[in-house]
Amino acid sequence: MSKTKLGLLATVSALVLSMGAAKADITIATVGPMTGPYAAFGEQMRQGASKAVEDLNAAGGVNGEKVVLEIGDDACDPKQAVAVANQLVSKDVALVAGHFCSGSSMPASEVYNEEGIIQISPASTTPQLTERGLDNVFRVCGRDDQQGELAGKYLADHYAGKRIAIVHDKQAYSKGLADETKKNLNAAGVEEVMYEAITPGEKDYSALVTKMKSENVDVLYYGGYHTELGLIVRQMRAQGMDTQAISGDAINTLEYWSITGDAGAGTLFTASPAAEKDPRNADLVKYFEAKGYKPEGYTLYTYGAIQAWAQAATKAGTTDFEPVTKELKSGDSFDTVLGSISFDSKGDVAAPGYVFYKWENGTYDYAN
């Protein structure tokens, strides 16, 4: 082949490569429990992420490039979370909006950190997530030391002199929240009469319920997820107990009532402010409701996580790790469905704290 033809082929190849680079898609992911007992939360994340990507692309993408969404299923299992994280590394993702369970976010974050992938969790609340000095980790939700402080003080203020049980399911999020609540309750001079752990995923918690009944427990504080608490509440009512149930943000799904039925009435839980109630998000809420989906819980928190990353990437003019991370930690505010938010040097969000909700008539709302 002549040098002229070789040169022409090289020129054409370079042109094709440059055209491909110009049209390259940006891949991001959301990862959570798409299957398993906590799949309702995975669906919240999938719905929020899908709409965020749709809206980003409708507005021209990020720095003129189309955004493509990958969905990862960790089933809230730490080993599966690491496997998914490694799969996403091979797909060269720029952002992971996830994970949901703290026990999954922690090991997955180590993989992302090694590979220079930004992780913004909409839901993982364990303080340790952002206390390890990893540059890549952020969250748009609060922390369990904040949530436990509110819950512990509430228990001390409203149930002093009552018999309080604290129960968790041994998982990272669950035990962390229960311990933070216990710490703040005890600091206020109130001692619980029971501190117990259960095994998640079981169907029969009657042994725990019987023990609580024998201890005349007035209030149950549960660190854990809606599936187990729903069963415990049903079984308490079946044994004639009117014990008040109080829990944290993992009760933030309508699926709780589908487990408890009317037995769930009066259950209290703490969670971040409901973004779907913000009048500024009315059109977005209408979009989801027109699909027959209520954008509850972490739907808009996942949307907001992606928004913050996209705005940081736009400011940086690139999706490369270091420039985007620098923008996220600059202290500048990002205009999101969660309001105007910013991140501190650890990756924690500066945003309103936790509030109490109450279950009644098949749904929940802010507690009075």
Side-chain angles (χ1 to χ4, degrees):
M1 187 178 287
S2 69
K3 289 184 179 179
T4 302
K5 286 184 177 179
L6 282 170
L8 181 59
L9 281 172
T11 302
V12 170
S13 297
L15 181 60
V16 169
L17 285 171
S18 67
M19 288 173 66
K23 294 181 179 179
D25 293 336
I26 302 165
T27 303
I28 68 171
T30 190
V31 186
M34 303 300 161
T35 59
Y38 313 132
F41 293 111
E43 180 64 10
Q44 291 174 8
M45 296 171 73
R46 187 186 70 79
Q47 291 277 355
S50 297
K51 180 57 175 169
V53 168
E54 177 186 318
D55 290 350
L56 277 177
N57 287 332
V62 174
N63 296 326
E65 295 180 320
K66 181 184 175 183
V67 180
V68 175
L69 179 67
E70 290 279 338
I71 306 292
D73 178 19
D74 65 16
C76 274
D77 175 76
K79 290 182 180 178
Q80 190 165 323
V82 170
V84 172
N86 283 309
Q87 290 169 11
L88 294 176
V89 167
S90 69
K91 295 181 179 180
D92 197 27
V93 301
L95 165 74
V96 174
H99 297 213
F100 177 76
C101 290
S102 293
S104 293
S105 274
M106 294 275 284
S109 67
E110 302 282 353
V111 176
Y112 302 137
N113 186 61
E114 288 179 7
E115 300 296 335
I117 295 171
I118 292 170
Q119 176 185 7
I120 306 179
S121 175
S124 294
T125 52
T126 184
Q128 286 74 24
L129 181 64
T130 51
E131 290 289 341
R132 295 165 299 153
L134 301 184
D135 291 335
N136 65 312
V137 177
F138 301 82
R139 60 174 141 214
V140 292
C141 58
R143 296 165 44 127
D144 286 331
D145 45 2
Q146 299 168 323
Q147 187 169 196
E149 180 180 9
L150 176 64
K153 289 181 176 178
Y154 183 91
L155 285 167
D157 290 345
H158 291 78
Y159 299 102
K162 299 294 185 179
R163 297 179 65 80
I164 300 171
I166 297 177
V167 178
H168 65 80
D169 69 7
K170 307 173 189 174
Q171 298 185 73
Y173 156 76
S174 311
K175 185 177 188 303
L177 179 56
D179 286 349
E180 288 292 340
T181 300
K182 171 179 163 59
K183 181 176 76 175
N184 284 278
L185 176 68
N186 297 163
V190 179
E191 295 290 329
E192 70 279 2
V193 297
M194 277 179 60
Y195 179 90
E196 297 285 331
I198 62 164
T199 301
E202 296 184 348
K203 299 298 182 186
D204 183 4
Y205 294 106
S206 58
L208 170 71
V209 172
T210 299
K211 186 172 182 178
M212 287 194 294
K213 188 174 184 179
S214 69
E215 290 285 349
N216 296 314
V217 168
D218 299 304
V219 183
L220 164 65
Y221 183 83
Y222 182 72
Y225 297 88
H226 69 287
T227 46
E228 288 77 17
L229 180 60
L231 293 171
I232 292 168
V233 167
R234 264 179 44 194
Q235 291 164 24
M236 286 197 306
R237 303 298 178 249
Q239 289 202 31
M241 298 176 66
D242 59 0
T243 300
Q244 172 69 56
I246 303 177
S247 192
D249 57 310
I251 314 301
N252 199 358
T253 168
L254 292 176
E255 198 172 87
Y256 176 71
W257 192 270
S258 72
I259 298 170
T260 65
D262 290 342
T267 299
L268 297 170
F269 69 95
T270 50
S272 298
E276 66 271 22
K277 291 181 176 292
D278 189 329
R280 292 172 295 184
N281 297 330
D283 289 344
L284 190 55
V285 170
K286 285 179 183 176
Y287 162 84
F288 284 109
E289 289 179 342
K291 292 176 58 181
Y293 185 79
K294 180 181 178 180
E296 62 173 345
Y298 293 98
T299 307
L300 297 190
Y301 279 79
T302 308
Y303 188 109
I306 294 171
Q307 278 184 306
W309 167 82
Q311 289 173 33
T314 299
K315 288 182 180 180
T318 178
T319 56
D320 290 349
F321 176 77
E322 289 188 6
V324 178
T325 300
K326 183 178 179 181
E327 290 295 339
L328 285 168
K329 292 194 174 180
S330 67
D332 289 349
S333 294
F334 302 98
D335 184 21
T336 74
V337 292
L338 309 176
S340 178
I341 64 172
S342 61
F343 301 97
D344 65 16
S345 60
K346 293 179 181 179
D348 287 319
V349 71
Y354 289 92
V355 294
F356 265 98
Y357 295 80
K358 186 176 184 179
W359 278 96
E360 295 285 358
N361 301 316
T363 189
Y364 55 87
D365 205 342
Y366 291 132
N368 294 327

